[in-house]
């Protein structure tokens, strides 16, 4: 995978770089293709016949560490040092609304539950893991993996960003009720 991050490569390119047989490389590529991490991406003329070029899929790129959470936390810390608390929260809400605007609701006439399920799909796209629960008090979005967890650990106001995003995508009021203990657990009441 590290070699394919540098660019497209053939089985022979990979075998030579890794010092293993081309059959061993094919075995690994077959597994990676099945897992949607690698895909065929054209051909390059070979000495006898064209060779298939392989590349990482866009989904595979998400598997590599990113500095986003660290940079976001540091940016938020810098903004919070310059602005009053209310303005920081308003800025976070504005960012949430901007993210929501890049994912317009695909189900404008759908039920509240269907729109909330669409919002769950968006959370998954953004790197989270959440489920919808129906309780006496109404619909709850319960998260198990928050894509903003690192930033929330530094500044709990980050949850207002997610609250605004969900509210805009769902088209209904959303109230944040997150548990910010050792490993943050997101909870949002819908409606």
């Amino acid at each position: 995978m590290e070699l394919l991050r540098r660019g497209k490569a053939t089985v022979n390119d990979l075998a030579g770089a890794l010092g293993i047989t081309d059959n061993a490389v094919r075995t690994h590529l077959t597994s990676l293709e099945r897992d949607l991490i690698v895909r065929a991406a054209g051909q390059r003329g070979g000495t006898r016949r064209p060779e298939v070029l392989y590349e990482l899929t866009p989904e595979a790129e998400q598997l590599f560490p990113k500095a986003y959470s660290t940079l976001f936390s540091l940016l938020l810390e810098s903004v919070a040092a310059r602005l009053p608390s209310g303005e920081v929260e308003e800025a976070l809400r504005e960012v949430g609304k901007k993210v929501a605007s890049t994912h317009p609701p695909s189900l404008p006439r759908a039920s509240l539950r269907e729109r909330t399920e669409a919002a769950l799909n968006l959370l998954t796209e953004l790197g989270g893991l959440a489920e919808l629960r129906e309780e006496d008090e109404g619909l709850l979005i319960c998260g198990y993996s928050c894509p903003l967890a690192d930033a929330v650990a530094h500044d709990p106001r980050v949850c207002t960003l997610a609250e605004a995003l969900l509210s805009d995508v769902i088209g209904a009021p959303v109230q944040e009720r997150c548990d910010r203990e050792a490993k943050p657990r997101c909870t949002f009441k819908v409606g």
Side-chain angles (χ1 to χ4, degrees), residues 13-189:
D13 295 336
L14 297 168
L18 296 170
I20 60 176
T21 67
D22 58 347
N23 283 335
V25 169
R26 282 188 185 89
T27 299
H28 289 287
L29 287 172
T30 298
S31 295
L32 293 170
E33 279 184 298
R34 181 195 63 229
D35 294 339
L36 304 176
I37 293 172
V38 169
R39 66 182 177 196
Q43 295 182 339
R44 179 190 320 148
T47 54
R48 288 179 260 152
R49 61 185 168 146
E51 296 180 278
V52 175
L53 288 165
Y54 292 90
E55 69 181 356
L56 292 177
T57 63
E59 295 83 9
E61 199 56 44
Q62 300 305 313
L63 300 173
F64 297 100
K66 306 282 189 251
Y68 300 137
S69 65
T70 301
L71 293 174
F72 181 68
S73 294
L74 292 171
L75 176 63
L76 182 58
E77 183 180 311
S78 180
V79 168
R82 289 173 171 76
L83 296 176
S85 181
E87 288 184 36
V88 172
E89 287 183 26
E90 187 54 39
L92 288 166
R93 285 186 191 288
E94 185 177 324
V95 170
K97 289 175 181 289
K98 285 184 179 184
V99 173
S101 73
T102 65
H103 296 83
S106 56
L107 310 164
R109 294 185 180 181
S111 70
L112 179 63
R113 182 181 190 85
E114 291 169 326
R115 293 191 320 265
T116 303
E117 287 171 354
L120 288 177
N121 291 334
L122 174 57
L123 288 178
T124 301
E125 281 180 40
L126 296 173
L129 174 64
E131 70 180 17
L132 183 60
R133 291 189 190 158
E134 196 160 344
E135 307 220 341
D136 291 341
E137 57 189 307
L139 295 176
L140 292 179
I141 295 173
C142 300
Y144 301 100
S145 177
C146 177
L148 302 170
D150 291 342
V152 169
H154 289 94
D155 191 331
R157 294 176 291 185
V158 172
C159 293
T160 60
L161 184 158
E163 181 183 74
L165 180 147
L166 291 169
S167 181
D168 273 25
V169 170
I170 295 169
V174 172
Q175 182 183 9
E176 175 265 314
R177 297 181 177 177
C178 298
D179 174 6
R180 296 179 189 87
E181 292 301 315
K183 184 177 179 189
R185 297 269 184 190
C186 304
T187 305
F188 298 92
K189 181 183 179 304

